[in-house]
Amino acid sequence: MDKLASLRAFVKVVEGGSFAEAGRQLRLSRSAISKYVGELEESLGVQLLNRTTRQASPTENGQMYFERAVVILSEIDAADQAVTQLQSSPRGLLRINAPMSFGTMRLGPALADFMAKYPDLQLQLVLSDDLLDPIQDGFDVTLRIAELESSSLIARKIVPVERVVCASPDYLKRHGTPTHPSDLRDHISLTYGFLLTGNQWKFAGGDGVHWIQPAWSLCVNNAEVLRDVALKGRGLALIPTFIVADALKNGSLQAVLANYSAPPLALYAVYPPTRHLAVKVRLFIDFLVERFGSGANGPS
């Protein structure tokens, strides 16, 4: 039995006073209306309507059931309307967690445009390079630049994040320029040691894949700090290109190992698995993909 359809049929019969009128309002045949009401009465084990050839009126039980049914159907209609309105104009709080560097360098202008597009949303952004737990810490969506390991969370890839080994001209003048990954063992490294690979650096080139674990003098969980220390000539750093793009362009940092590449990371949107993804989360992730997915405005 379709309980919702039976409720609607019953309510329309009581309101219209007949099966025929209910059928006209619901665009169903009189026999279909009669079937719905009959199934409802059978499931409840009570008679809800007094029937004549042309009219129908509620019994005492039917009147009580009618009053409850009207409230139930009203609540369902209100819920449907609320979801429809939310679809076109989402409301409420959207809690976002993002990496510090990406947040400060790229996310601000994007959030401003997203706020202009959906003015009824409240955004709460927490920037952190720690691997926070999206569920335990109550985030609707978490942005991560990483090589993701398997988990119970759902991740959507937004854009690849290329990385480059670089150093200041002063450092390279004092220590020489490495041309092969194995040369890195003789250099001072500045590392981001919170990836799955730890302090190991992986490179691929024409002569295969190379895993290097260089000696390091600084290990930090923020790539902007790595960039600033590298600018001072304190060592070589493997850094996402969107963080060092300006320094590479003006020559204050120089890229090395031109014939080798580190595996790209990616910017992911991570969110808890749910049967129905919240509209505000889906709209935000779709916005990020549109904004950064081409790489024109985002990490590269």
Side-chain angles (χ1 to χ4, degrees), residues 126-242:
V126 176
L127 297 180
S128 174
D129 288 321
D130 294 331
L131 294 180
L132 303 181
D133 187 320
I135 297 177
Q136 182 176 339
D137 294 306
F139 293 108
D140 295 299
V141 59
T142 295
L143 304 180
R144 286 181 178 166
I145 295 177
E147 295 177 273
L148 288 185
E149 58 185 346
S150 61
S151 74
S152 61
L153 301 173
I154 298 175
R156 182 174 176 186
K157 185 177 179 179
I158 296 174
V159 62
V161 177
E162 302 292 339
R163 294 180 292 168
V164 63
V165 178
C166 57
S168 70
D170 175 64
Y171 174 88
L172 296 175
K173 182 178 180 180
R174 288 185 286 114
H175 296 277
T177 300
T179 59
H180 189 274
S182 61
D183 296 338
L184 296 175
R185 296 188 178 95
D186 299 322
H187 284 266
I188 303 169
S189 71
L190 313 170
T191 68
Y192 187 103
F194 296 84
L195 298 174
L196 293 179
T197 55
N199 290 324
Q200 286 191 314
W201 293 358
K202 180 182 178 181
F203 298 95
D207 56 349
V209 174
H210 303 271
W211 284 93
I212 306 296
Q213 188 160 2
W216 55 270
S217 59
L218 173 68
C219 180
V220 64
N221 70 336
N222 181 270
E224 286 178 278
V225 173
L226 289 181
R227 176 201 60 197
D228 293 344
V229 174
L231 284 168
K232 292 292 186 178
R234 304 314 305 166
L236 290 159
L238 176 61
I239 307 180
T241 54
F242 79 91

Side-chain angles (χ1 to χ4, degrees), residues 23-35:
R24 187 186 68 78
Q25 292 187 29
L26 293 176
R27 298 183 180 181
L28 296 171
S29 66
R30 185 186 185 284
S31 61
I33 297 294
S34 180
K35 179 182 178 182

